[in-house]
Structure formats: structure tokens, C-alpha cells
Amino acid sequence: MGYLIAFASRRLVQDESLTPGYVYHDPEDATLPPAPDGRRASGWNLLVGDETDEQLADAGELLMPDLEWLVERYPAFGRIVSEGSEGRQFEWDADEGQYTDIGPSTFQD
């Protein structure tokens, strides 16, 4: 997974008490060209799940941490990555302690 990044909300990364409430894989992100430092977008996006439209539109509210770090920090997220869940979206089920697949992550322009 080296050199792969994901997009994650700043609040999620900075507050260790939060769990990603909504994660999805955007196959189009995974096709972006690599950055000059060799890092590539994995297509994974992690959000708390209660972000406003304004927060999502603000590039300063999104960070690009290493995918490997996120997988280690959030083992349940790591399981869906390792299961090959590309092109899917998931919501966190706190009662079950796992993610629920809520369908394809096909986004229309």
C-alpha cells in the first residue's frame, strides 16, 4: 500500500476519539496521476458522516493521509479495503461494530 493516500476529513484525523461514520471508494480518484513525490490517490474517502456541504467544499477541511496509516488506525476500515470493496460505500454500524455496505459509490456529475 506504500505511497497510496486517501482523502479524510480534518476533524476525523485530528480527533482520535472519532470513528469514520461514512467511507466510500471513488474509482475515478484512483485514476488520478501520481503527485510529484510519487504518492497516488487510492480512491478511498473517510468522513465523520456529519460534515456540512460547506465543510466538504472547503479543501482545507480535507487531509490526505497515507492509506496504510488509516488502515492501521481503523481496523474495521482496513477489513473492507482488504476485501476488495472498490466502488462501494459504507456506513458505520456502532451496534454491530462494523461497516454496512450501502451500495455502489457511483457519483453522477
Side-chain angles (χ1 to χ4, degrees):
M1 269 188 261
Y3 296 106
L4 289 178
I5 59 165
F7 294 98
S9 73
R10 176 178 295 281
R11 189 165 46 110
L12 180 65
V13 171
Q14 293 178 341
D15 186 342
E16 292 181 27
S17 71
L18 295 174
T19 298
Y22 176 67
V23 299
Y24 67 93
H25 182 266
D26 184 343
E28 288 188 25
D29 281 354
T31 65
L32 294 172
D37 65 3
R39 296 181 346 141
R40 294 183 314 112
S42 65
W44 286 103
N45 296 265
L46 294 85
L47 303 170
V48 175
D50 62 0
E51 290 86 354
T52 64
D53 288 341
E54 291 79 19
Q55 288 172 315
L56 294 174
D58 182 353
E61 290 296 319
L62 292 175
L63 300 177
M64 294 178 287
D66 289 336
L67 180 62
E68 186 173 357
W69 178 78
L70 291 166
V71 163
E72 289 175 12
R73 185 172 183 175
Y74 306 111
F77 168 66
R79 284 191 288 281
I80 62 175
V81 171
S82 68
E83 290 170 358
S85 301
E86 289 85 0
R88 309 292 299 171
Q89 58 183 327
F90 301 84
E91 287 183 343
W92 178 247
D93 183 331
D95 293 333
E96 295 292 324
Q98 64 185 13
Y99 285 97
T100 300
D101 186 329
I102 57 172
S105 58
T106 51
F107 302 102
Q108 303 297 322
D109 290 335

